[in-house]
Amino acid sequence: GTDLSLLGGGWDPRRPLRSLGAAQRAARVALGNGARGVTVRAAAGRYAPLSLGAHDSGGDGAEVRYEGASGAVISAGATLPASGFHPAPPTDPISGRLPAGAQATTRRFDLGAMGISASELSSGDPTGVVLTCDGATVSLASWPSNGSWAHTGAPVGASGFVYPADAPIPAAADGLWLAGYFVYDWADSRIPVERVVASNRTLFATTQRYVKSTGHFIPDARFRFLNLPEFLGAGQFWLSNTTGHLYVRTQAAHPQPSCTLAVGRTALQVANTSHISISGFTLESAQSDVATISDSHFIRVRNCTVRDGGVSGIAVSGGSHVEISDVEVSAIGGTGISVIGGDRPTLTRGNHSVSNCTVHDFAKVLWCYHPGIEMEGVGNVTSGNEIYNAPHQGIRKMVMLSRFVA
């Protein structure tokens, strides 16, 4: 295991603990014995998700600090080693469905052998699967995959439309999804396809509220097809719920990938606690929010890297005096940093702050109204942040008595 030293409260730094969980339990003992502040120093290595609650609280002038050395990672992901990826055998029925030329660079991983359920992982929605390989985000198989769009044809009834003639859609298209702007350019949706009629290039999909408002799909709406092996491009993946196999089409520079797959909901959870500092860690690979801070007070997250989250990077809700500073947030499916604090009816300030952070490459799955920084409530501050490389908003505010400083 990875060494972890617990300093403060009388603990001997020469006897390092072996996990953040063990350090957390030791810190609670130290606090119970009257320690005035505890510092946990984590060496480089990968650590399981950390959940901090009321029993982990410090006090005024007696902060509980979790400090990560360079290379200390708290992850909700499972490591998929390169040794587990193999070419799909000729007997694999998926081999015949791959795009031309893809067979040589496609590798298959058996998730079931690691006890990972593909169907539970996606929860019925493959667009939320978070996968990184060799340090780069790997996207879900899509068509077109070159940054262009497909366009809806004539509507068919209330839930169907004619799809493009060059789309590589097989007659049996189980698991097919669509992502696009089906009615308005400010409202993106991801919807599953219920039925494909290949003979006349018609598909029928689950309608969402905007389509229902018009009574049918509108012609010439831009969208992309998702989640069939026929779409698998370089740097993309496809997940089979039937066999439990993960297929990755590799880049030429990495013919045998090493990957991390998000299997947990969050890497860091802080709830109903106070006077805690988190610094120096990389927080990564969560199906939902990478880090959540709820109903907590005087919490500091500093000098951290937050990446590879399905919904948001850091989500703060309730509490007061949560400080997020000098944090880099990237590769997020939705919002980079979300902050909700303060009470509008009484104009009680939240006193949360986001400062000197870099937020980029967010809203990668949820395109619209998922900004780099979102603030809601009363009396919160954002200042000195750099936000870039996303499809829609940089900052979204629904706040009173708050300051936004460039």
Side-chain angles (χ1 to χ4, degrees), residues 23-24 37 89 111 139 163 188 193 196-197 248 257 274 277 279 295 307 313:
Q24 179 185 22
L111 295 178
S139 59
Y163 60 81
D188 61 299
V193 172
V196 171
V197 183
V248 177
S274 67
S277 171
S279 64
D295 299 320
R307 64 192 183 198

Side-chain angles (χ1 to χ4, degrees), residues 44-65:
R46 294 180 65 83
Y47 298 91
L50 179 64
S51 180
L52 301 172
H55 295 295
D56 302 297
S57 296
D60 188 13
E63 191 174 53
V64 174
R65 300 174 180 174

Side-chain angles (χ1 to χ4, degrees), residues 78 87 91 127 133 166 208 211 227 238 242 256 339 344 346-347 379:
T91 54
T127 66
C133 293
D166 58 341
Q208 41 77 275
V211 174
N227 197 44
W238 179 69
T242 303
Q256 200 69 16
V339 174
R344 287 187 181 185
T346 63
L347 295 183

